[in-house]
Structures are given as structure tokens and as C-alpha cells.
Amino acid sequence: MAESYSQKRILLVLVDVPNPAKSGKRSQAGSTIDQWIDSLTELSLVASFRTKVLTTPTAQEDQPRIWQLLAKLIADNYASNDGFVIVQNQTFIEHTSAALCLMLERLGKPVVLVSHASLSARRGRPTQGTLSPELALRSALVNGLQLATLDIGNVVMLSGNVVYHAATYASKGGASEPIGRIDFGMKLDTKKRLHKPQSLKPRSTIKPRILSMMVQPGAPLAFSQLKDLDGILLYGTGAFRPEQLHLLAASFREANVPVGFYRFQDSGRAPGTLLVHHVTPVMGLVKFMWALGQAKTLKAMQKLLDTEIASEFLSGTGDDA
């Protein structure tokens, strides 16, 4: 007998999702995305859900506030819901998923982030072979709600009908390994469902004002307004010798802010700096911001960066990968 999803209570959160009812010949004046979703009878067959619509600034620097808002929303509604679905523009959703993995400690219920390229606000007809924005969103909502009814105590990313572990998801040039697919059989790798029936512990304090940039050995560095930063995260594009790394770190001492290095090969650790490793570039940035918000000393920050918090460490990597 097939499992019934009708008894599961899901909180559906839409973050700056364009309203399909506003486009095309069937556009209705005054129609809201809430009303459009209420008209989708197929969703009520999947789960019992309620919708929360968030309209936020779209600037990248405002995203940390959105992460904290979402973490608080989940924490406040954790006891009364069996799962959560968050739909957001693809531009920012990877950072959001990484942040929620760290902010929602001891998570015992599914948090599903829905990523779909066709959910971006766009005009005109869809290209041949692609779904219209309306059909794409309907499909994404059905898949997201179905996934949120499963016994997954984790943050997962849903792209189309493919499911990924959100903590190791890498959309740009990455080699993320799916943990399953949503289809009529709801196939997921049971070894990676990771149900953890524990009480949620939000840890959403972060330091958002981070300067992140790529550097190369011997490249000149010039910055302004370093005193207004919470931290500096440098991404290495080549191998640094220890003495080069030490000189690079020394050049930032005037900023009097924590300096982190991401995946520097053959370099070791420079005194007074932080090393971010074993994670994707997006998770590296978010975890750096999160560690700075959780700890007060460099030693405590480094301990958090060295600790696997939400299964975010990549497999098959070396000490500096």
C-alpha cells in the first residue's frame, strides 16, 4: 500500500518567487501568488500545507539577513510542522542552503530548498523543449512537497527532480553526487536519509561583512575601508609557499580583522589566520561567516572550521582540499 502524504504538515516558504498568474493571456488583475497556489488542487493531494510569502531586497549583501530570517521562521514553526519547503531564485539559493545547514543544528525534519532555473523572473515565451514558468513552478512545488513528507532529518537541495545533500551541493562546475530522485516511486538512497529525531537548536549568528577574493602568489593587493569588515576570506588559485602565505597574512594585519584562507595547497597555516577547507567554495564562505559569528577567539573559530557540523566535508579530499 502506498504511503499517504495527506497527514503531513508542511510550511511552504516562497522567497521572491515571481507570480505565474501575472503572465500570459490568463493574467488576472489582483491575483496573488498565494491565491494561485491555493488554486492548485494537486498540491493538497500531496500534503497539508500553508504558504508564507517573503519579499526581500535582492542585493547580495542582504542575503545573510534572509538566511537568519528563514532560520528563525523554521525554528518558530518547527513544533507545528513535519517539514519545510523553501523556493528561492536560483541566484542565491545555494548560499541559503549552505547557511541553513549550519544554522539549524540537531535538525530532525526535512528542509527542502527548491532550485529551478525556470523559476527566475523572465518575460516572453519559453524556449522550445522547456516548461513555461507556470508549469515549472507547479512541478517544483509538487516535487518539493513530496520530498518534505519523507523521513529526512536534513537540509536537501531539489533541482528539477534530482535530490542533493545541500551541504555539499555545488552548482557551478561542481561534481555533486545526487542522493536520489523524485519519481513515482520516491527513490532515495536510504543510507543518506540521515533522520535525526532531536530537538532543533538554531545557531544563526553570523558576521556578514566579508571581503572574499581570489589571490595569486606575488600578485599586488590594494584594499580600502578594511576597518569596516568582519573578516577577509582569500581564495588561492595556486600553490603558496609557507613564507609567501605568511607575508600575505602580514599585509592584512592593519585591518585588525580575522583573515581566512580557502584551500591553499602546500601552504600550511600562517600564524594568526584561519584555514577553511574540506568544503565547496560556497560553503567555505558561508561557514567562515558563521564561525566568526559563533566564536570570539581565532582558536575557537578554527575549531569550528575544522569540525564537520552538517556533513559538509567533501569526501576523497586531502588536508587542504
Side-chain angles (χ1 to χ4, degrees):
M1 182 176 179
E3 181 180 355
S4 173
Y5 302 103
S6 60
Q7 300 303 313
K8 295 296 181 76
R9 299 183 303 274
I10 308 299
L11 178 61
L12 173 61
V13 184
L14 306 178
V15 184
D16 299 318
V17 176
N19 184 4
K22 290 292 186 180
S23 62
K25 296 180 179 180
R26 294 186 299 164
S27 176
Q28 299 177 1
S31 177
T32 66
I33 194 167
D34 310 61
Q35 295 169 334
W36 178 79
I37 288 178
D38 288 342
S39 70
L40 305 180
T41 56
E42 66 267 33
L43 299 185
S44 62
L45 299 177
V46 179
S48 173
F49 70 95
R50 63 186 182 90
T51 306
K52 175 73 173 179
V53 178
L54 297 181
T55 302
T56 67
T58 57
Q60 186 170 356
E61 57 268 21
D62 293 315
Q63 295 307 302
R65 184 182 63 82
I66 297 172
W67 307 338
Q68 292 175 309
L69 179 62
L70 289 171
K72 185 178 186 303
L73 188 62
I74 291 171
D76 290 346
N77 292 275
Y78 191 76
S80 58
N81 289 275
D82 299 304
F84 303 85
V85 176
I86 299 171
V87 185
Q88 187 182 21
N89 188 292
Q90 194 178 40
T91 303
F92 301 117
I93 198 169
E94 189 174 347
H95 290 81
T96 300
S97 65
L100 292 180
C101 289
L102 300 172
M103 291 178 169
L104 302 174
E105 187 176 342
R106 298 191 303 197
L107 182 65
K109 298 178 180 180
V111 175
V112 180
L113 287 104
V114 177
S115 171
H116 200 297
S118 59
L119 297 185
S120 300
R122 59 182 192 177
R123 297 292 181 264
R125 296 182 179 180
T127 58
Q128 185 176 3
T130 63
L131 296 177
S132 67
E134 179 178 356
L135 289 178
L137 183 53
R138 292 178 71 159
S139 175
L141 291 173
V142 170
N143 288 341
L145 288 174
Q146 283 187 331
L147 186 56
T149 63
L150 296 184
D151 187 20
I152 308 172
N154 223 316
V155 182
V156 294
M157 174 75 74
L158 178 61
S159 180
N161 73 328
V162 184
V163 187
Y164 299 91
H165 191 326
T168 54
Y169 178 76
S171 63
K172 297 181 179 179
S176 301
E177 180 183 354
I179 61 174
R181 294 177 182 272
I182 295 296
D183 60 16
F184 292 109
M186 300 295 290
K187 297 177 181 178
L188 285 183
D189 184 343
T190 55
K191 293 181 180 179
K192 297 182 179 181
R193 288 169 70 166
L194 301 175
H195 178 61
K196 294 173 284 189
Q198 304 178 38
S199 299
L200 181 67
K201 180 183 178 182
R203 298 180 67 181
S204 56
T205 302
I206 59 175
K207 295 291 186 179
R209 297 173 300 179
I210 303 298
L211 171 66
S212 63
M213 63 176 297
M214 301 290 293
V215 295
Q216 297 180 2
L221 298 173
F223 305 102
S224 61
Q225 297 180 336
L226 295 180
K227 63 181 179 180
D228 297 326
L229 297 173
D230 294 317
I232 301 169
L233 181 61
L234 303 178
Y235 291 76
T237 59
F240 281 71
R241 296 192 303 273
E243 60 271 21
Q244 291 176 318
L245 191 61
H246 293 186
L247 289 174
L248 186 60
S251 67
F252 287 97
R253 287 174 183 165
E254 63 179 283
N256 196 29
V257 295
V259 177
F261 297 97
Y262 173 80
R263 301 183 72 176
F264 279 75
Q265 299 178 354
D266 306 321
S267 59
R269 299 186 182 183
T273 65
L274 300 167
L275 180 63
V276 184
H277 52 162
H278 300 309
V279 295
T280 66
V282 167
M283 175 58 79
L285 174 60
V286 174
K287 191 173 184 181
F288 183 68
M289 299 165 67
W290 178 82
L292 265 58
Q294 299 299 313
K296 295 182 179 180
T297 66
L298 288 179
K299 183 177 180 180
M301 293 173 192
Q302 188 62 64
K303 184 176 180 180
L304 288 175
L305 293 171
D306 291 340
T307 302
E308 189 169 29
I309 306 298
S311 302
E312 73 275 16
F313 283 175
L314 301 173
S315 60
T317 58
D319 290 340
D320 294 310

